[in-house]
Structures are given as C-alpha cells and as structure tokens.
Amino acid sequence: MKKIKYFVIFFLFSIFACIFTACHKNNSKSLDIAFYNVPEEIQTEITKYVISQNENTIVNYVVIDNSIPISEQTKELKKELKNVSMIFAQTDEDVKEFSESNNLVQKVSAQYLSGMPISVISSIKRDGNNIYRIPFIFDMCQIDINFAAYKNTSVKELNLWNDLIQVANEEKSVFDTPLVFAYKSDKELLDIFGQLIEVFTDYETFEDFYNSVYKAFKNYRANGSEALKEIDKLLTEDKGAQEAIFQLRRMMNKQNGVITSPVFSLNSNDSIFYADYSLCGILFSTLSAHRKINPEVIGNYRSIYYPPVSANAQRKFTAQEFCIIPLSDSEESLSLISKICNTDQTQISTATGLAPVQKSCATADHQADDVRFWITASSGPLPPLTNALPEAKALEYTAKALRNLLEE
C-alpha cells in the first residue's frame, strides 16, 4: 500500500513539474542582439549591460562574420538575424550602406539623436524624420605625451605641429626612439596616415582621398584584385597623400628623424610596452589603446589631439563611431535603444572606456570627456581611413603599398 501511495505522489509531482516547466518556458522572454566588427572586450561589456537591463529575459547574441562586408551577406543574414532586435557595429562605409539600404533594417525616429553634437547629427542620413543607425560611443586617434619627459624640454605649449616635433627632437638625448607608434599594424598605420593628411592639408582634402579610396575598394569588390592598383595610383598622385608621405619620411630620416628603426617592427602591443616602461616621449595612439597602458604609469601621460600646422585651422579629428542598427521596433528593443542613447550612455562609456556621444551625460574620467569635447568642438568626427577599406585583403594591400613608399 505504501509503494502505491509513494508512486501516486511521485507521479503527481512529475505532472506538476512538467506543467510548471512548460508554463515557465512559455512565459519567459528572450532578446537577441548581434555584433559586427566590434572588438571582443567591447562586445563583452555591451552584452553584460544588456543582460543587466533585462533581468527576466534570456539574452542571446550573434557575432556576424566580419571577413566579408556586411552588405554582401544579406542572404545569410536573413536567416541568422531572424529574431535579432539590433546590431551593434563598428561603423564603416559598408555598414552605412547596409543600414541605409537593406530591408532587414528597421527605421526609427530621429528623436534618438537628441542631445548629440550637431556635427554628429549632421553625419547621419535621414529618411524624413527617421534614421537607420544611432551612434553611441566613439574611439579616437590621439597622442599620448610622457609628461615628465616633456617638462624637461624648452617647449611650453603643444599648440602646433612644429612644437610636437621640437619636443621629439629635444628628447633624442633621452630616448632611443622619442616618437613611437604601431607601424606594423595595418589598421593603426593607415588611420594615423589619414589623420596626418588632415593635419598637413585640411579635412576636405582627406575626405576627397577617403572617398576615392572607397570608390577603389568598391571597384575591387566588383572586378577583382587587379582593381586594387587604383590605390597605388592614389597614394602617389593624391596631393594629401603625397604631403603626408613626405612629412612621414622626414620624420623617419635616418640622419635626423624622430622616428627610428625600432618603430618599424612594432605592433599594437609593442607600442603599449614602450609606454608601460617609459621608453618613449610621444606615442601616436587611440583612446582605447591609452586604456591599456599600465595603470601604475598611466598618470604620467597626457593625451592631446593631433596639433595643426597653423593656428586657427578648421579641424576634424579621426574618431571611430560605434552604432546601433535597429532591426525591430518592438517595445523591448526601442526601450533599450532609448536607454543607451540617453541616461545609460555613462554606464556603457565607463565599462568600455570609450567616449559617449551624448553632450550632457557624465563621464568616468577626463580622457573620455576630452575626446567628446574635441569631437564636439571640431567641425565633426573624421572617419578612420580604414573605414573605406572594410575587408582584410584590401586593407593589407593598402598598408603594404604605403610602407613601400615610406621606405623607398
């Protein structure tokens, strides 16, 4: 009799357990997000943030293949992104094209741009009062100055480019290589090169060069590798590229240059090593790279924007935008976008170490605040040159062609 009683209790318990599980599954919500070409450490912080905002929701994420331009993946993405509410992406020209022309993208109100600098708002394409992507954080090309070494030079203010070069020249007696950057990193070399075109000419000249490079890239994707030779021609004939190459070669001069041979073998981690051990006075860097400097010595460095050749120049600074591309207009999706674009941008900026786009939100430190201020006070963010080369082969080809010209 006891066996029958225990069996009945167990049987009833099993039924209740199955009913509870089924109800729980039916009532649970999920939110799917995707990432395209976003560094892993930033993916992690954004995912943690999204989970924190959706405690009773299962958050799933998809990482889109970034070896192929996203605009060329529509067929695969229709299935892969079926339930995805939004894509977090590192904006490049192909991402812009995808967001503005792909029917997977859900237009949303331009109200999400409220509170952003005019220079940023004006860079976003509109369809009436609707938009296709929303910027929310920026990285930026900058220069890190070893302040202890700088104070021992005769230069009082780093206002102009020649001031920077004078500091580097005076620091030759202190450092084997006073000016350091990741020369072997294709992306870093090209993005620095792009900013130097702006420094030595003007931002319109850079924008013309940038647009020509993207046109050559599109030709390459349509017609094959032979079309990449257009980039060789641009590097040797474009006036902005010619001037930046001339100036870089002067800095690399074996007799009296400020960029010496050790720099030519440095990748991204190597250049940070120089900063960690105070082996250089000047580091061409980015906000995200600055965050990787050893916390014990990071206070010795002061970050500045690339100084102009002449005073009163109209400036634009190379800044990498990260954006949201909405794929759904569900209440959950729009609520999350609204938080990211407004009150919670401080939280994301702090977690990622990058600068917020919102003018009024708090920042964790003066580095992020400075970057936001520089972008806001300038004529607008300048896209990194590599944004016009959204595929590894074309980027590698261009970097190699540039190195060949610099080392002639």
Side-chain angles (χ1 to χ4, degrees), residues 337-355:
I337 290 172
S338 181
K339 290 177 183 178
I340 293 172
C341 292
N342 289 284
T343 54
D344 287 1
Q345 210 165 101
T346 296
Q347 188 176 336
I348 293 176
S349 168
T350 302
T352 61
L354 300 184

Side-chain angles (χ1 to χ4, degrees), residues 354-372:
L354 300 184
V357 178
Q358 274 288 337
K359 290 185 292 185
S360 59
C361 78
T363 55
D365 55 31
H366 70 84
Q367 280 88 8
D369 194 43
D370 285 347
V371 165
R372 177 177 57 183

Side-chain angles (χ1 to χ4, degrees), residues 93-165:
E93 289 306 308
D94 190 69
V95 165
K96 289 181 185 178
E97 186 174 309
F98 171 83
S99 68
E100 293 166 6
S101 62
N102 197 289
N103 58 16
L104 293 174
V105 178
Q106 174 67 51
K107 293 185 291 187
V108 295
S109 171
Q111 69 179 4
Y112 293 110
L113 301 177
S114 178
M116 297 183 189
I118 296 297
S119 58
V120 174
I121 293 174
S122 62
S123 70
I124 306 298
K125 183 176 178 180
R126 295 190 183 217
D127 180 3
N129 196 39
N130 294 312
I131 53 175
Y132 305 89
R133 78 176 198 278
I134 308 110
F136 67 105
I137 47 175
F138 276 111
D139 199 356
M140 180 174 155
C141 285
Q142 60 182 35
I143 300 175
D144 284 332
I145 304 295
N146 182 326
F147 201 64
Y150 163 71
K151 285 193 297 185
N152 291 324
T153 69
S154 65
V155 178
K156 301 305 179 186
E157 296 288 341
L158 288 167
N159 293 324
L160 299 176
W161 184 261
N162 283 342
D163 299 330
L164 185 75
I165 297 302

Side-chain angles (χ1 to χ4, degrees), residues 12-31:
L12 290 173
F13 177 79
S14 300
I15 291 174
F16 284 128
C18 290
I19 292 171
F20 175 80
T21 302
C23 290
H24 178 71
K25 284 183 177 179
N26 288 335
N27 290 331
S28 64
K29 295 186 296 183
S30 67
L31 177 67

Side-chain angles (χ1 to χ4, degrees), residues 71-82:
S71 67
E72 298 178 17
Q73 300 186 57
T74 299
K75 185 177 179 181
E76 297 84 352
L77 293 179
K78 278 184 178 178
K79 182 178 180 181
E80 192 175 4
L81 303 180
K82 184 178 179 182

Side-chain angles (χ1 to χ4, degrees), residues 392-408:
K393 183 177 178 180
L395 190 149
E396 290 167 9
Y397 181 96
T398 307
K400 183 179 179 181
L402 176 59
R403 288 191 190 98
N404 289 340
L405 291 169
L406 291 173
E407 296 168 18
E408 279 182 348

Side-chain angles (χ1 to χ4, degrees), residues 139-369:
D139 199 356
M140 180 174 155
C141 285
Q142 60 182 35
I143 300 175
D144 284 332
I145 304 295
N146 182 326
F147 201 64
Y150 163 71
K151 285 193 297 185
N152 291 324
T153 69
S154 65
V155 178
K156 301 305 179 186
E157 296 288 341
L158 288 167
N159 293 324
L160 299 176
W161 184 261
N162 283 342
D163 299 330
L164 185 75
I165 297 302
Q166 185 176 338
V167 168
N169 277 312
E170 291 186 26
E171 290 179 347
K172 285 180 184 179
S173 60
V174 182
F175 304 108
D176 290 336
T177 179
L179 196 160
V180 164
F181 65 98
Y183 183 82
K184 275 296 183 184
S185 164
D186 294 342
K187 175 171 173 54
E188 291 193 39
L189 172 63
L190 290 174
D191 288 344
I192 289 167
F193 178 67
Q195 181 68 75
L196 291 177
I197 291 176
E198 186 272 346
V199 168
F200 295 121
T201 56
D202 50 56
Y203 67 75
E204 291 97 340
T205 300
F206 168 79
E207 288 170 344
D208 289 343
F209 177 72
Y210 178 91
N211 291 332
S212 296
V213 169
Y214 187 56
K215 183 178 178 181
F217 172 80
K218 295 287 284 183
N219 191 16
Y220 149 69
R221 292 300 296 179
N223 300 305
S225 298
E226 191 67 21
L228 285 174
K229 291 182 179 178
E230 291 179 32
I231 290 175
D232 294 301
K233 187 176 180 181
L234 285 170
L235 287 171
T236 55
E237 295 183 5
D238 179 88
K239 69 174 184 177
Q242 284 181 310
E243 183 62 23
I245 289 169
F246 172 74
Q247 295 292 344
L248 271 169
R249 290 182 70 177
R250 284 182 65 186
M251 287 187 275
M252 293 164 58
N253 185 281
K254 290 181 180 179
Q255 278 71 45
N256 55 15
V258 294
I259 300 172
T260 58
S261 57
V263 174
F264 306 149
S265 61
L266 300 185
N267 60 33
S268 300
N269 290 332
D270 296 329
S271 64
I272 297 299
F273 176 87
Y274 270 72
D276 283 345
Y277 291 91
S278 296
L279 299 175
C280 64
I282 300 167
L283 176 67
F284 288 173
S285 184
T286 59
L287 175 60
S288 56
H290 177 88
R291 302 297 191 189
K292 297 176 183 177
I293 298 174
N294 187 332
E296 294 182 6
V297 301
I298 199 168
N300 298 336
Y301 289 87
R302 170 187 164 194
S303 299
I304 66 169
Y305 56 77
Y306 278 70
V309 169
S310 58
N312 302 318
Q314 291 292 313
R315 304 299 307 281
K316 284 189 178 183
F317 302 116
T318 301
Q320 177 60 65
E321 173 191 297
F322 290 83
C323 71
I324 301 169
I325 302 173
L327 304 185
S328 166
D329 61 357
S330 69
E331 183 179 345
E332 292 82 6
S333 178
L334 295 181
S335 174
L336 183 60
I337 290 172
S338 181
K339 290 177 183 178
I340 293 172
C341 292
N342 289 284
T343 54
D344 287 1
Q345 210 165 101
T346 296
Q347 188 176 336
I348 293 176
S349 168
T350 302
T352 61
L354 300 184
V357 178
Q358 274 288 337
K359 290 185 292 185
S360 59
C361 78
T363 55
D365 55 31
H366 70 84
Q367 280 88 8
D369 194 43

